[in-house]
Amino acid sequence: MASSDEDGSSESIVNIDTSEKGLGAVKTLLQGQSFGGAPKQVVLAFSQLSVAAPDVGTVYAKTLPKAIFNTFGVDQFNFVKNLLPKEASTSANTNVRKILTDFTGLVKPGEMLFVLGRPGSGCSTFLRATANRSTLGVTGHLSFANVDAPEFGKRHQRETIYLPEEDRHIAALSVSQTIRFALRMSLPLKIRTEQLVEELVVVMGDIFGIEHALDTPVGGQFFPGVSGGERKRVSIAEVLAAGSSVQCFDNSTRGLDSSTALDFVKALRKLTDLGQKTTLATLYQAGENIYSHFDKVLLIDQGHQVFFGRTEEAKTYFEDLGYIPMPGETTAEFLTNITDPTQRRAKPGSKAENIATPQQLSAVFKESAHFARLLQEINQSERQLTADTSPIPSSAYNLSYSHQILECLRREYQLIKGQRRVYYTKWVTTIILSLTVGSLYFDLTVTAQGAFTRGGLLFFALILNGWLQFPELFDAHTNRPVLERQASLNLYRPSAVAVARFLIDLPLIAFQHLLFIMPFYFLARLQVDAGKFFFFYLTLVISTVSFSNLLRGFAYYVASLDDCFRYGGTACTVCILFAGFLIPPISMPDIFGWLHYVNPVFYGFENLLVNEFVGLSIVCDGVNAIPDVPNADPRYQTCSIPGAQPGQVNVPGSQYAEALGFDFDHRWRNIGIMIAITTAYVLAGALGSEIMRFAPQGGTPIVYAKDSSKMQAASRSSRDIEKEATLFPNGGTSSDSDIGKPHRVGPALTWKDLTVDVGDKQILKGISSYVRPGDFIALCGASGAGKTTLLTALSQTNFAGRLGGEVRFGGKEPGSAFKKATGFAQQQDLHDGTATVREALEFSALLRQPKHYSREEKLAYVDHILDLLELVEVQHALIGDAESGLGVELTKRVTIAVELVARPKILFADEPTSGLDSQGAAHIVDYLRRLSHNGQAVLVTIHQPSASLFAKFDRFLALSSEGKQLYFGPVQKVLPYFERYGAVPLPGTNPAEFVLETVGAGINARNDDKGTDWATRWNESPEAENVAAEIGYIQKQGSSLEDFEDGSLEDYNGSIFTQTWLLTVRIMKNQWRNVPYMYSKIWVHVVSATLVGLTFFQMGTGPQDLQNRSFSVFFIVFLVNAIVNTILLRFFFARLYWMYREGPSKIYSWVALCNASILAEIPGALACGVVYYLLWYFPSGLPLGEAAGYVFLVVLTYEVFQVRDSISCVLARDRLADTLQVLLGLFMMAVSPDLGVAGNILVFIVCTMNWYNGLIVPYDQMQVFWRYWLYYLNPFTYLLGGLVMAVIEGVVVVCADSDLQTFSPPPGQTCGTYAGSWASSTSAQLMNPSASDSCSVCIWTTGDQYLEGFNLDPQQWGGIWGFWSIFLAFTVSNLILVYFLTWATMIKRWKMFYFF
């Protein structure tokens, strides 16, 4: 194999070895990374290196009550504590646990160190520490080229790189854009040319076999793009492009097939030699070929160093201790098994037999000659480095800060192009809103009646464009891990991205406002003056830029997106409430007056208002003139608006603005203040991007939902032995001793000449095979061969192609019950992270097992599966996410267990060993093998099986990179089959690796036709004829379908009631444990209610107070925009979970999903409604009695209405938003393709509903087109109308002195004789009828007069209860709409209005 290895090396990296042009480009890259000189050589040395983390003991889930309690000081303390330096924190803390203990080693330039250990042993922690990237407590000596780690980190930060296991990329960028960005950031300007960069992009594409995908988006978990294996190669290419002297790779071959993984290691070997890199890597399931490319190996056992030395010496060292290798084991497997007490074998009487703990194994190594020689090498290296005083040429970054900003700006532009649908939607939304609202205010009058309406128009212009920035928080937060990762590669300073985002905002927002202002300004007939027009435009742009950076700043400082929207929603509440429209500055209570002056929206609104009103003459005529007597002389009248003086019926606009507290002379001062505030927001965001880090640093503990010790005892004691008889209906048991002849009872699945077409491309071509009960089949092939596609096609799970050929189950076509008989353990571990392991298994068992099993039998089977997969110890632990403490292997076991508890006839498992070490993979395969030999049919795709792992399978199905069949048959006959056609393996060859290499798998699989040749040989072979004959026999034999159809034609095994109940309980537990979601809703309600209640504290009954009452009520609608995105995010992922995991598995129906989503949200919504009501209503001094009860009922109804609409939007289709809308709004939300589009359409809907309800624009002032249909179709018309009537109807108006209007009567007349009849006819209060000068009038007597101005008649539609009934009808109709839209778009797959 060694000779073929060398041949393979020259062949697999063809562009480096044979292309002089490509070789020159790579050398130029390496020289650029070395600043034009020879490659930098950095010796990595460490001794007594230890890493410790705080020992938090057993961790229990943080629930909602604890989160609320922590609000009062604990969270604030922890936030400040996390900002402080952490160097001494670990050492000062006595409760610490050591992750690594006393490591010693030396890695020289040009050497590759293989870091081996089981998951959780500390491999990742070691790599982070040696890459100088650890934030944990690192002690001991760690040096780079004889420079201590802290000093090296300051002076040569970019010389160390750590590549984590997870792939973090901006999903919308293409592969070439991602690699090109890394190259442009890593190459110094003096050698960088466009030609060189493009040449290197092509070369790297060739090296890593992704040249065909250079123009494809990188993609992500929920964003279409390249495959997982190709995405991993992009990560590696990015790291190599970034360049460093010390590079650490953490399980970088995860998701790659064995041939591609080998090609990666060969490329790494070549680049390490060429650039004299110091390379460290941990790779799971490494074959012998991969192992042989490394120079040294480090073996870790539970945080202890048990070997460090040459790779060729490691096996001999442990064999000399007395350890015995198993037949077929690779060296890496042998070394890893030594750290597992259950797997290692020792000779009787040897030293190894007396070694029981990692500490003992480590002590033996430190007493060995290997360790003594290592110490000598370290001392010798230090002496040589001391003699060599030449400094390491290095810089933290290859580009200056300004050039970093320019490159990041260029990438932001590419990102905008990649996400252009979001911006198209925003711009279309902007145009539509400018037209609709502009037409609503069409030809706005300059009368006193239109003065307030004109102010509302200006306020709308501000908040609309601010709201449109909310969806950008999704990208700002989602891409933060990418920012942290690339910053750790020293491509740029994180603040460069923050500044670039600010700069790219300027033209985008300027263009957005240009689209908005052109129709809006002239439709509303604002003052047609060039200076005023451009000042209006300038103010809008600066205000929106400021608000956008305020929101984006939160993305840099908080951990979760829920928290990001919580703080963003709170900031939005403050900006709206204290902008100066709802409460003019002159009326602002002193307690909150300061909030005006830190609010950029306030300065923007003041500018817009004075810009519009100065130079405008407000005409008072008709009812607006006081008194409105026949043939009145204007000298003896006044105007009803603020600022009017006696004898004024035409009020200057500047006078009106000044009466509200606004000053025209503040205009340019406000521009300067807004720019200063914006600068402060940008700087704060840049600072946050530099100092805040949220990437996990290892040592994450397992989180438990409760004390598991008692629960485990209870679950074990409750086991019923009689019920265990139902666990294996075929008579099997779970013991290994029974693994022999498999049980073959039940239907078999066969497929003949199967093809799969996706679009115009045929993925699979003529595959014929079968899986019978008791079969354990391995499905192998190169990356992109179509293995996952075959599983999805056979299981009918998330299959999105055209299936050809013949598929039979039990001799018949798979029917409606087929999905109930199968289990599909997907490669992505999709789980409700807040559920415990036991809860997840019980949920699956109770809903998926056949009906003839009782509840007790189903739960007993759960106990059995927990035992079988060794999950009992963690049964009460939260599953968590990819970064939780449960770990990759345990999470993978849970994924398999969730499927097994359903008692499937066939289990499909897609890459169940991906991300596991060889021992973890062996455990998983052993579990599956045990299942198969108890009658379970198992079909597994597997990437990198070792020889011992491969031998555990019964049969082997091989696919070529073109999707053609290469072999199907017993694993023992694989090598003889290929040998018969001239492919002779060497002794000890791993059959899986041999097949993949023989048929042309690996990085360059797409560039040769070996797979086609071998596919032709298979089609003509007698083995293929035997498979076809066996398929025919199986189909003729058939099998009774009663076994799996369970006598029922229903699609689901659980009733709708059972589905709804169990799902509701799960969602409510999620709310209890998923703290940010419910906490954010409560927070927003509490903060909003408190601010509104105290701002409008104990309102009186004067005219201004009546307006304040209506605004106090009106503010409830702004809760939508404050909490919408949190709800949107939650239901977006819940919908994806159902679509990709639980829906296709037939666990529960869409009806149950709707039922449970609504029922589970109602308690929380009602609680939030009660909190809001109590904190707002009584402090505001609103009426008691019937009005208080009515408002309480309406608030609760509103909360339920909000929940139902949000669910209908989210469940209906691709990533939807929470809205409070009617049919048109929900229909538009139902077709939103992603979160950004949904957020923009949300703004359109919310703005439309907020401005067409008759409060901001009174009914009489609406244009006729909108007045007679949209006003009545708006549910907010009835919501707000009923609330405003309840708090104002029948109120006796008592005017304060500031509320009185003053005028003088004509000479010789008293106030009574002059205006008495007018006051009586209009129900105005003439305060001094006998006076002959300075008549004082209170324009209203009761609140009903105020209501008349808004078309609110207490006798209309049955009064307040009639309004509530209509609003309740909207709520019920929305409930119906939930089910209709879910059925139409998720079941029937209707697609509507996909413009982009």
Side-chain angles (χ1 to χ4, degrees), residues 868 900 907 926-936 938:
L868 180 67
L900 290 180
L907 176 64
D926 281 338
Y927 298 141
L928 295 175
R929 180 170 177 261
R930 188 180 306 169
L931 289 167
S932 69
H933 282 74
N934 281 292
Q936 182 76 64
V938 181

Side-chain angles (χ1 to χ4, degrees), residues 17 60 195 301 307 312 366 372 395 453 542 565 746 838 882 973 986 1089 1144 1158 1339 1393:
D17 289 343
Y60 296 101
Q195 180 181 358
D301 185 2
F307 183 80
E312 62 271 15
K366 291 181 179 179
S395 172
T453 306
I542 297 176
F565 282 116
R838 172 171 282 277
K973 298 181 180 180
L986 294 176
I1158 294 170
I1339 59 174
F1393 298 152

